[in-house]
Amino acid sequence: MDVGDTLHDIGLFDPDGTPVALSDVVDGPTILVLPRYFSCLPCQQFMYALNDRLDELRGAGVSVAAISARAAHQARWLRDEQGVRYPLLLDPEHELCRAIDLGRFRPWEIVKPKVYRNYLPAFRRRWVTRDDTRSRQGVPADPFQLPGVVVVDGERRLLFVHRGEGLGDYPPIEELIQAALAHAA
């Protein structure tokens, strides 16, 4: 799928196990973050950055949701203890990742310089300088899933697509927000 294509209505779950349809989350321009898993350090930092801008986004008519494969306890931790205010949903069958054609991480790719550029700053902020006390590394729900971000309209039509090429590979937050705001009411 690419820009202009429409996602089908995928069945998801909230962290408490309640079924939620993708169409229930998408009510206009919506940023859908697809982290590798909810306890991935660079993924958390990206989700926190969006959470910090949530009032601005909502004020402009843009919604945000994050969808990962499993680990409801990680999603509940982000919501209940870290204050992430947008929906954190589970897609245990990876339907959304497959629909968007997100890639899979191959173990030998851990040596790519891009992985270190994306992951080591998050690790350093959390464990060396301790500047980031909100993030917590957890056990991967799916260690081979690559991250991604899409912006969809109210009909689930893709307006922006970013497929991560390595661990922690997300678009610049300003680029993503501008793409979402360009389609806001």
Side-chain angles (χ1 to χ4, degrees):
M1 298 193 96
D2 212 343
V3 171
D5 293 335
T6 301
L7 292 170
H8 65 281
D9 198 10
I10 296 168
L12 307 166
F13 298 91
D14 74 10
D16 302 316
T18 304
V20 177
L22 182 60
S23 60
D24 294 336
V25 178
V26 175
D27 60 353
T30 304
I31 297 171
L32 299 175
V33 181
L34 301 156
R36 288 185 58 230
Y37 57 103
F38 286 123
S39 287
C40 162
L41 288 178
C43 300
Q44 285 178 8
Q45 291 175 0
F46 187 80
M47 290 185 289
Y48 292 149
L50 279 175
N51 196 57
D52 291 344
R53 305 281 297 271
L54 192 58
D55 292 335
E56 170 192 351
L57 290 165
R58 285 181 175 163
V62 176
S63 299
V64 179
I67 302 165
S68 187
R70 292 186 230 11
H73 67 284
Q74 295 171 351
R76 283 191 299 271
W77 176 79
L78 285 170
R79 179 191 68 195
D80 299 341
E81 296 183 36
Q82 300 306 308
V84 173
R85 298 177 290 141
Y86 51 81
L88 302 168
L89 304 169
L90 305 169
D91 179 10
E93 301 302 321
H94 297 260
E95 285 185 69
L96 191 54
C97 290
R98 281 196 310 272
I100 297 170
D101 299 323
L102 289 185
R104 305 280 293 163
F105 179 73
R106 295 179 292 264
W108 59 85
E109 292 178 317
I110 196 76
V111 298
K112 283 185 171 180
K114 188 172 194 171
V115 170
Y116 292 98
R117 281 194 309 271
N118 292 332
Y119 203 85
L120 287 180
F123 181 85
R124 182 177 179 276
R125 283 191 298 273
R126 174 62 180 111
W127 297 108
V128 177
T129 65
R130 304 223 184 249
D131 292 337
D132 177 13
T133 57
R134 296 190 298 180
S135 298
R136 177 175 76 181
Q137 181 71 46
V139 177
D142 179 357
F144 303 110
Q145 182 61 59
L146 288 173
V149 181
V150 297
V151 176
V152 297
D153 67 11
E155 303 300 316
R156 299 182 311 279
R157 189 174 26 257
L158 294 171
L159 305 171
F160 173 92
V161 178
H162 175 86
R163 293 175 183 90
E165 295 178 3
L167 304 179
D169 182 15
Y170 287 98
I173 199 84
E174 288 303 323
E175 177 184 329
L176 174 64
I177 288 173
Q178 289 308 312
L181 293 176
H183 300 283

